[in-house]
Amino acid sequence: MRRLALLAAAALAGACLAAAPADEPLDPDKAFVPTARLVATLPSAPGGERHGIDVEYRIEPGYYLYRNRLRFEVTPPAFLVGPPEMPKGIEIDDPFLGKSAIFRDRVTIHLPFAVSIAKPGRYKVKITAQGCAEERLCYSPFPQEVVVNIPPGYRVMDLPAQEPPRGLPR
């Protein structure tokens, strides 16, 4: 009987250890989850007129993204967006990179349209990001990709005159 009780206790302890969460950091695609959506608001909307793509990151607790390590590219490249509009972020003294601005929990980055007419279709937003698992490790820059669909007839009306992105003809 005693032997049976010891066996049951050992099995229960093994089951508890197997069920305990591993202290391994998440893969970057699970720690930093981006989504994209088309935004088009009127000048009378709260916050004013906005046209473009919003990339929203859901960042797991205990993780953070570096603000200045985010890069965006929309393909096909015929579709032009301006420089990303990002919140300031939280200033920290990072153990990996020193003074840095980071994002935690959720952040929305706006990619404004630099054209007045968007050809309908499926567009990919290719992202290069870098972040860390709090005080454990810093990931190498990692690629991610989200998709946004532009419906037929979509038109950005009354955009202010903008300088073309650097490197493009006027």
Side-chain angles (χ1 to χ4, degrees):
M1 185 73 160
R2 183 178 166 117
R3 209 183 240 184
L4 187 56
L6 285 173
L7 268 166
L12 182 61
C16 287
L17 286 174
D23 198 27
E24 292 295 314
L26 296 172
D27 287 334
D29 286 334
K30 290 191 172 42
F32 313 102
V33 181
T35 57
R37 67 185 172 92
L38 179 65
V39 292
T41 60
L42 299 172
S44 59
E49 185 174 21
R50 291 180 63 222
H51 296 280
I53 300 168
D54 276 357
V55 175
E56 181 179 27
Y57 264 98
R58 182 181 49 79
I59 303 165
E60 287 295 315
Y63 292 80
Y64 57 88
L65 270 178
Y66 291 111
R67 181 186 191 276
N68 294 333
R69 298 289 178 122
L70 288 164
R71 301 287 177 263
F72 301 90
E73 176 187 354
V74 178
T75 60
F79 188 68
L80 300 176
V81 294
E85 298 171 0
M86 295 189 236
K88 288 174 63 172
I90 303 163
E91 293 288 329
I92 65 165
D93 191 7
D94 184 66
F96 301 103
L97 294 179
K99 294 207 181 283
S100 301
I102 62 164
F103 299 124
R104 297 183 191 276
D105 303 319
R106 286 192 182 273
V107 65
T108 301
I109 297 122
H110 182 66
L111 305 175
F113 289 150
V115 295
S116 61
I117 298 175
K119 183 177 177 185
R122 179 184 165 139
Y123 293 88
K124 294 178 183 177
V125 179
K126 294 180 179 184
I127 306 164
T128 301
Q130 187 174 11
C132 295
E134 192 82 43
E135 297 183 17
R136 294 194 292 173
L137 74 91
C138 192
Y139 298 94
S140 296
F142 50 89
Q144 295 181 302
E145 190 173 276
V146 290
V147 174
V148 70
N149 290 308
I150 307 287
Y154 180 84
R155 185 178 175 101
V156 179
M157 301 301 291
D158 302 321
L159 274 181
Q162 296 181 3
E163 289 291 316
R166 278 184 246 146
L168 295 176
R170 290 181 180 244

